Structure formats: structure tokens, C-alpha cells
Amino acid sequence: MSSLDRSHDPARSSWVVSARAHADFPIQNLPFASLKQEGLRGGLAVAIGDDVLDLSMAIAAGWGHGLGEPVRTALAATQLNALASRPADEWREVRLALSDALSDPAWADRLRPALKPARSVTFQLPFHIHDYTDFYASLHHATNVGAMFRPDNPLLPNYKWVPIGYHGRSSSIVVSDVPVRRPQGQVKAPDADAPTFGASRSLDYELELGLFLGGRNALGEPVTAARASSRIFGFCLLNDWSARDVQSWEYQPLGPFLAKNFATTISPWVVTTDALAPFHVAPPPRPSGDPLPLPYLQVPDDWTLAIELEVLLATAAMRGRGDAPARVSQVDFATAMYWTPSQLVTHHGSNGCNLSPGDLFGTGTISGPTPDSRGCLLERTRRGSEPWVLPDGETRRFLEDGDRVIMRAHARHAGAVSIGFGDCTGVVLAAS
Amino acid sequence: MSSLDRSHDPARSSWVVSARAHADFPIQNLPFASLKQEGLRGGLAVAIGDDVLDLSMAIAAGWGHGLGEPVRTALAATQLNALASRPADEWREVRLALSDALSDPAWADRLRPALKPARSVTFQLPFHIHDYTDFYASLHHATNVGAMFRPDNPLLPNYKWVPIGYHGRSSSIVVSDVPVRRPQGQVKAPDADAPTFGASRSLDYELELGLFLGGRNALGEPVTAARASSRIFGFCLLNDWSARDVQSWEYQPLGPFLAKNFATTISPWVVTTDALAPFHVAPPPRPSGDPLPLPYLQVPDDWTLAIELEVLLATAAMRGRGDAPARVSQVDFATAMYWTPSQLVTHHGSNGCNLSPGDLFGTGTISGPTPDSRGCLLERTRRGSEPWVLPDGETRRFLEDGDRVIMRAHARHAGAVSIGFGDCTGVVLAAS
């Protein structure tokens, strides 16, 4: 999966001038999204610099003849499920054909009409997401949160053996920029006799990566560790909005439910596994004394990703003044995670659960060891006890109405051209 | 929702002779299913006695002219999502039109060609199920299971306030009669130093009712208690297969995952909320000293259902001899449940979670107060410590390969013709 080809060549550059030295979308990236089009069913696009290339228009302009009819049909679809249903080597052929055309000036005149400024388009979900699973794969996050919810028992005995996950709600996944309404819910203060129902007072974000799956395994046919990597089509940013007061009262014994299923935001762009090949790094060694993974979770040639993520916040006051968003935290993916992407896929499929194209996995909140690398406010402010002070003097324990949360991520590695994920944002609306 | 009309008249009978005094499918029932047809996309059908009425063929034969074009289009679909997207009064019009035609001998010649023996057809899922949620709404079950998983703390403090639920896996829901493969998983004996991976040794069933939803609420628009009942399109039987050894090791802190997502079986027939109107009963009073539900969960004119459910088992040896299945347990739905169907819907939608046509809710295991009314083997055999003895002398702690589990349910109430749900069955295959 990690073999490099000319699409990864750091010397390659695009005739789309804005793509040169673009922070997120140089020609070495080429992530996919789905455009929403007024009165039309929408269609797939690829990011190149400040523009997006409409794939249906590109095909109509003659691009993609070498790809074969099934792939061209998949690229003319509204969302990515059909492409992700094709064999993984066809995903790479599409990427290579895009890279070749967007770097070859001979294609410029034909493809320029299929380019649109990214600022002029709106996005919809890149996949029809049938099933959504959220994991809990950052040891620092699990330890920090565990200490707050279970002071006497922060890290449960299964954590270092089982890649803990749970099923989430698909219907409430929205694409970046869709406002998120503060939920109402049932909450109970520790010293109260009875719970009450009302607007959550501890709304939070969770910084995660999302994995989109490709390919299929039939129900009852386990996914093996050797096959897991080939099942990951690509990655996005994911904000697992959480109402902490609802969560702490409802989550036992069956896990989070209404505290999280009111909204999950993902970035519009799917950065392909192939585009991330130059950013593969070996998983960090497990802390001394930790057990080896059981054999079924030992992934041959396993990898994780050299990705740096950050969360920024822009309050209503800041936005009113036109201030730039303030960074809340920044974290390194590879060292924050206890389980690798392929281990999450292997574990989920180990019982024969049928994983399908467009299934979405969240990694769980990505938190590092230091306060400024914690991926949610619950951890960043220690459950509100240490409010975070913004540059303008405002403070935050949890999110307030009008706050805009912005997540960003960039893959960076020696010898490779850095690529980014685009923004994953959402503004908090007052409760209904 | 509970108003009765001529379709509920106990004196009404069908020209389909097998429907008269039929235990499950008299003309007072008329449940929907989706037929699988070789080489075709399948289609909707209604049960009448020992036959099924193919709705596309019935429409082609002239039935349904009064229903309007959108409803006829919905009835010509493969699954029920389109019909459940229509207003609830149109669901009732369809039922009434079916009842009228199937009870009027003048229709017999025209509709008889659209009848097929139920034994000759195969079923597929009645809905495209986008999101599946499982609740935990039987107090006896929660208490019994809690005592086994948390002896010191069987019923958590939130239970009598929060209708506890969690998200399940949609992709692995299968229709009755699809064999279920015993899953592999990670398990750890309490006295073991480390977990191991292998075939589950404590495979179990869970007896539940499923609720299929109709109608929509936009994301961020809560479902109110007053509207909840009108969002329930119908009911089915549901077997929430569970690997207890996997569950006890993995389920903390985020709930069941691989222990349940390898398979969930539902009955092919959707018994409509309207057909169940004669079986509405008042919810039983809460035990003395229990709190009232919070105001948002107080449903006007709330109801539950007079339904008796049973689980039967046929081992491979019994089936080899042609023995009838043996009954493991029998339970009354209304008195077993702490939360009503409308309370489950209200709670799920109270935070603005968008509920869609075809969403499936499981009630959670339905267990009564006595040993022979417990809805899973975990409870029935007290985690295997009191094996259940079959009539032929075989014993069961948990399910063995080759066992066939059969669930049945019948609604019975004074003055009404009893109706049934058909069988929900599955046989256990050896692990791969």
C-alpha cells in the first residue's frame, strides 16, 4: 500500500498555479469531495490549490479514457461509495491519472473549464455513510478522561488489549460548516437528588481523524491483519461534538448515546491512503511493561501517519472584530495513538462484522501528553476547573453559543511535500 | 393513533380461507414484508393466512386506485422506507384498502393471481435500515444482568430516569432464517493473566421487539412526547445475538461492540402500529417509591401492548429426529417493560437527533420476574450455573452449534381477534 510512484514526486508541480506550495492541496495531495449543486444531484471533485476539479466535467472533457468504464461510472456518481467499492489498485490509477493530467500543461486548456474556485462551491458528505464507529485509541485521552469519570479507576484493564470502540449515529453526521445546535438533555449534578432536563451546559468538541473504508467482507468472514490496510480508502477530520453533562449521567452501563448523537462534523475532503503513503511512519514502541498485541492484532509492516493536528476557536466576539482564530491545542497523531489505523480495522472485522465501502471510523479524541496537546476542552480545562484564556481575555470552560471550532491537520515528513486536510469547522447555535 | 375502524372488526373475515382463525395472520393483522425474487429487485407483500399478497401484482390487477399516486409508487418499491416516509394517515388508508379488498369476495378473482403460498417465498429485510438503536427497557433484565456483571451495583442510579440505549450495527442485521456464524473474539477469564482470541463459548440470544420508525424530524428539531406515537410505523421480532464472554471483557467503558455486531436477526413481517391498536393497554404503574418520569418523558395517553412472546429452541439432535422445538421461556411485554415504546422514541429524539423512516429500535431483552420468563440464556441459566434441561435430556448453558432459536409473539386482548408476528429464527453455524 505504501509504494511511492510519480504522483508522490516532490518535484512534480501543477499548471494550476495556486497549487504550487499550497499548504493543503498541492498536486501531491488530490483529495476527493462531493459538491452540492443547486437543483442537481451534485458530483465528485478533487482539490487542486485554490480550485476544485469537477470530475464529471473532466471526464466530459476527455480525461480518464484509460481508466475503464466501471471506474469512469464510479467517478460520475454523487458520492465516493462506488469508487471505494472498486479494487484498491483502481483507486491508485485514478489518482495517478489526475496527477498526470494536472501536472501536464498539455491538459491545461481542456481541463481549465472544469475548475471552480473552492470558495464558490458548497460541499455535501463525501460518502453515503451507512455505519459509523468511534474508537478510543489515544492512551492519553483515555487516561485523562477516565481519571475524571472514574477517579479510582482511570484506565480499565482491557484498554491495552482491546481497541475499544462503539457504534455511533450515522444520520447526524454533517459536513464542515453546517451549524450545530446545542442539544437539550437529561443531566444530574453529583449532589442533586434528581436529574433535570435542559440545554447542555458543557458542550465540547473532540478532535479526531476519520477513516473511510473501501472494499467489502461478507458477514461472517473476518478481516485479517494482513488485509486491513488495503481496506482504508482515505482519511478526514472529524469533530465528535459531546455534551459532557449528559454523557456523565447517561453513559453507564451501555456507553455514550444522546451525549454524542446530536451531531458529528467531518471535513469535506477525503485525503486518500495513497496520498498519505509518504507520511507512513512506524508505530511508536509500546510503553515499557505493556503487553504485546494478541496475534490477531499484529499487523505485518504496520504503519501510522506523521500528521500534526490542531484545534482553533473563534468566539462570536472575535469574529465580530475580525480577529484570527486562536489555537487551543496541537497534537502529533503518531505518538498520541495507542492503536494504529490497521489495528482498528482488524479488530472491527475480527468477529466477521461486514465492513462496507463508506463506513466511517473515528479514531477517538487525539490527545498528547501535555496540556496544550489535549484534543477536547474536557481535558484542556480539566472539566472546566482550569479555564482556557483566549488572547482577548475571554475564557472558556466549555463551548459557548456563537463559538466556531476549527480543526486542521497537515501531514509532514522528511523528503515529502506536506499536504493538508482542509478545515473542519462548525459554529454553535443556541439550544432550541 | 389507537382509533379503531372496520379493519379491526372481529367479525370481518377474508375470502382467503386460510386466514380465518389463523394464529398469526388473520385479516385483522395484514403485516408487510419484502419478498426476494430471483433476478428481480423484489417487492412488498402483505400476509393473509397462509399466503402473501404481492402488492405490485395487486396494483397491476387494479387494487389501490383510491390511494393516490404517491402511495401507489411507495407500495411498488422494494422496501417499506417510501411508505413510511408518507404521512401516518396514508399508512392507515393502505391498511384499510387491503382489509376491504381481502374481505370482499368481489375482489377474489382479481387478486387471487397475486397470492403466493408463504412457504414458497423468501424474504429480505423489510426496510433499508440506516440507523439501528438498541434499548435496555426491561427492568427485570437490567436487574438480572446487572447483578451478574456488577454484583455490587446491579441497577445503576440512572436506570429509572433515563431510557438507556446505545447505537448498534446496521450492516449485520439479517432477516429470519439466515444462519448465524458463531463469532471469534477476545475473551479473558476472571482468573487469567491475559486475554485470548478464539470462538465465543457463551453465545446467547436476546428476545426483543423491534420498532420501525416512520416520518422525519430535521436534525436539531426535538421529537416531543405528544408526537412520538405517530412516529412508530410498526413492530417486528428481534434477536440480539450476543457473545457473553466477549461482552464482559470489552464492554467497559463504552458499551457492547463486537459482542453484538456480528449479527442481529429480525422477523420478516412488520406488524403495523395500526394493526396493534386493539391491543393497547395502559402502562403498568411504576413500582412504589420509583420517581415519576421527567416531564419531557410524560407521554399523553401513553400505551403499551398486550403481547406475549416466547423463545423456543431446537437442537441439531431434536431436528434430526423431527422433534418439535422446546419452549425456553414466555413473557408478557406490557408488564416486563419499564419504558413504553413512545418513551423510547421521545428520549431518542429529545436532543434533536434526526430519526428517519426505517430506523430500527430494539426494546432490549424482554424479561419478566420469573425464571421461565427470562429473555436470554444468560439470565435463564444464571450465566450457565443452572443449565436448562431440554425435554430429551440435553442441557444448555449457552447456545451450541446447530441450535435453532425460534422467537414468536402474539397480541391478545379481550374483544379482539389475536394476531401474531410470524417466526424469527436463526440456526447457529460453527465458527470459521
Side-chain angles (χ1 to χ4, degrees), chain B residues 184-200:
Chain B
Q184 300 190 87
Q186 200 180 125
V187 301
K188 186 180 142 333
D191 56 349
D193 290 335
T196 55
F197 182 82
S200 170

mmCIF file of all heavy atoms in Angstrom, chain B residues 184-200:
data_model
loop_
_atom_site.group_PDB
_atom_site.id
_atom_site.type_symbol
_atom_site.label_atom_id
_atom_site.label_comp_id
_atom_site.label_asym_id
_atom_site.label_seq_id
_atom_site.Cartn_x
_atom_site.Cartn_y
_atom_site.Cartn_z
ATOM 1 N N GLN B 184 -15.704 -15.158 16.505
ATOM 2 C CA GLN B 184 -14.480 -15.198 17.298
ATOM 3 C C GLN B 184 -14.340 -13.862 18.019
ATOM 4 O O GLN B 184 -14.883 -12.859 17.578
ATOM 5 C CB GLN B 184 -13.274 -15.427 16.404
ATOM 6 C CG GLN B 184 -13.343 -16.728 15.632
ATOM 7 C CD GLN B 184 -12.026 -17.027 14.947
ATOM 8 O OE1 GLN B 184 -11.135 -17.618 15.532
ATOM 9 N NE2 GLN B 184 -11.914 -16.603 13.705
ATOM 10 N N GLY B 185 -13.598 -13.880 19.093
ATOM 11 C CA GLY B 185 -13.412 -12.623 19.804
ATOM 12 C C GLY B 185 -12.402 -12.760 20.912
ATOM 13 O O GLY B 185 -11.880 -13.858 21.190
ATOM 14 N N GLN B 186 -12.126 -11.633 21.519
ATOM 15 C CA GLN B 186 -11.148 -11.563 22.604
ATOM 16 C C GLN B 186 -11.897 -11.774 23.916
ATOM 17 O O GLN B 186 -12.869 -11.073 24.196
ATOM 18 C CB GLN B 186 -10.479 -10.180 22.575
ATOM 19 C CG GLN B 186 -9.162 -10.135 23.286
ATOM 20 C CD GLN B 186 -8.488 -8.769 23.276
ATOM 21 O OE1 GLN B 186 -8.164 -8.261 24.344
ATOM 22 N NE2 GLN B 186 -8.264 -8.184 22.106
ATOM 23 N N VAL B 187 -11.421 -12.729 24.690
ATOM 24 C CA VAL B 187 -12.073 -13.043 25.973
ATOM 25 C C VAL B 187 -11.007 -13.194 27.048
ATOM 26 O O VAL B 187 -9.853 -13.512 26.765
ATOM 27 C CB VAL B 187 -12.902 -14.345 25.879
ATOM 28 C CG1 VAL B 187 -13.968 -14.230 24.800
ATOM 29 C CG2 VAL B 187 -12.018 -15.557 25.603
ATOM 30 N N LYS B 188 -11.412 -12.959 28.272
ATOM 31 C CA LYS B 188 -10.479 -13.143 29.400
ATOM 32 C C LYS B 188 -11.239 -13.701 30.587
ATOM 33 O O LYS B 188 -12.225 -13.105 31.041
ATOM 34 C CB LYS B 188 -9.819 -11.820 29.757
ATOM 35 C CG LYS B 188 -8.725 -11.957 30.833
ATOM 36 C CD LYS B 188 -8.119 -10.622 31.142
ATOM 37 C CE LYS B 188 -7.780 -10.384 32.582
ATOM 38 N NZ LYS B 188 -8.496 -11.055 33.625
ATOM 39 N N ALA B 189 -10.806 -14.843 31.057
ATOM 40 C CA ALA B 189 -11.401 -15.407 32.261
ATOM 41 C C ALA B 189 -10.982 -14.537 33.455
ATOM 42 O O ALA B 189 -9.889 -13.965 33.454
ATOM 43 C CB ALA B 189 -10.920 -16.845 32.459
ATOM 44 N N PRO B 190 -11.853 -14.416 34.469
ATOM 45 C CA PRO B 190 -11.528 -13.536 35.591
ATOM 46 C C PRO B 190 -10.188 -13.873 36.238
ATOM 47 O O PRO B 190 -9.476 -12.981 36.696
ATOM 48 C CB PRO B 190 -12.686 -13.777 36.574
ATOM 49 C CG PRO B 190 -13.804 -14.317 35.744
ATOM 50 C CD PRO B 190 -13.171 -15.061 34.609
ATOM 51 N N ASP B 191 -9.826 -15.145 36.244
ATOM 52 C CA ASP B 191 -8.595 -15.534 36.933
ATOM 53 C C ASP B 191 -7.397 -15.634 35.987
ATOM 54 O O ASP B 191 -6.305 -16.002 36.420
ATOM 55 C CB ASP B 191 -8.808 -16.875 37.648
ATOM 56 C CG ASP B 191 -9.269 -17.964 36.685
ATOM 57 O OD1 ASP B 191 -9.631 -17.630 35.522
ATOM 58 O OD2 ASP B 191 -9.282 -19.139 37.078
ATOM 59 N N ALA B 192 -7.599 -15.315 34.700
ATOM 60 C CA ALA B 192 -6.487 -15.417 33.740
ATOM 61 C C ALA B 192 -5.629 -14.157 33.789
ATOM 62 O O ALA B 192 -6.107 -13.070 34.103
ATOM 63 C CB ALA B 192 -7.031 -15.627 32.332
ATOM 64 N N ASP B 193 -4.346 -14.307 33.467
ATOM 65 C CA ASP B 193 -3.442 -13.159 33.440
ATOM 66 C C ASP B 193 -3.663 -12.305 32.201
ATOM 67 O O ASP B 193 -3.438 -11.095 32.227
ATOM 68 C CB ASP B 193 -1.976 -13.637 33.430
ATOM 69 C CG ASP B 193 -1.582 -14.251 34.763
ATOM 70 O OD1 ASP B 193 -2.217 -13.895 35.782
ATOM 71 O OD2 ASP B 193 -0.662 -15.087 34.771
ATOM 72 N N ALA B 194 -4.037 -12.959 31.112
ATOM 73 C CA ALA B 194 -4.132 -12.255 29.830
ATOM 74 C C ALA B 194 -5.318 -12.797 29.047
ATOM 75 O O ALA B 194 -5.742 -13.932 29.265
ATOM 76 C CB ALA B 194 -2.842 -12.461 29.036
ATOM 77 N N PRO B 195 -5.847 -12.000 28.148
ATOM 78 C CA PRO B 195 -6.950 -12.485 27.317
ATOM 79 C C PRO B 195 -6.448 -13.417 26.223
ATOM 80 O O PRO B 195 -5.250 -13.497 25.958
ATOM 81 C CB PRO B 195 -7.521 -11.199 26.704
ATOM 82 C CG PRO B 195 -6.372 -10.248 26.688
ATOM 83 C CD PRO B 195 -5.500 -10.606 27.852
ATOM 84 N N THR B 196 -7.368 -14.106 25.586
ATOM 85 C CA THR B 196 -7.061 -14.935 24.417
ATOM 86 C C THR B 196 -8.087 -14.614 23.336
ATOM 87 O O THR B 196 -9.110 -13.982 23.612
ATOM 88 C CB THR B 196 -7.161 -16.436 24.754
ATOM 89 O OG1 THR B 196 -8.468 -16.692 25.289
ATOM 90 C CG2 THR B 196 -6.108 -16.837 25.779
ATOM 91 N N PHE B 197 -7.797 -15.065 22.115
ATOM 92 C CA PHE B 197 -8.701 -14.828 20.989
ATOM 93 C C PHE B 197 -9.173 -16.169 20.458
ATOM 94 O O PHE B 197 -8.368 -17.061 20.189
ATOM 95 C CB PHE B 197 -7.962 -14.056 19.882
ATOM 96 C CG PHE B 197 -8.824 -13.714 18.707
ATOM 97 C CD1 PHE B 197 -9.656 -12.607 18.738
ATOM 98 C CD2 PHE B 197 -8.806 -14.495 17.555
ATOM 99 C CE1 PHE B 197 -10.456 -12.280 17.650
ATOM 100 C CE2 PHE B 197 -9.600 -14.176 16.467
ATOM 101 C CZ PHE B 197 -10.425 -13.078 16.514
ATOM 102 N N GLY B 198 -10.464 -16.328 20.326
ATOM 103 C CA GLY B 198 -10.982 -17.585 19.786
ATOM 104 C C GLY B 198 -12.492 -17.539 19.684
ATOM 105 O O GLY B 198 -13.116 -16.497 19.936
ATOM 106 N N ALA B 199 -13.067 -18.662 19.303
ATOM 107 C CA ALA B 199 -14.517 -18.738 19.138
ATOM 108 C C ALA B 199 -15.205 -18.508 20.485
ATOM 109 O O ALA B 199 -14.784 -19.056 21.505
ATOM 110 C CB ALA B 199 -14.904 -20.102 18.579
ATOM 111 N N SER B 200 -16.267 -17.699 20.458
ATOM 112 C CA SER B 200 -17.033 -17.457 21.680
ATOM 113 C C SER B 200 -17.552 -18.773 22.242
ATOM 114 O O SER B 200 -18.047 -19.627 21.505
ATOM 115 C CB SER B 200 -18.212 -16.524 21.381
ATOM 116 O OG SER B 200 -19.079 -16.485 22.497
#
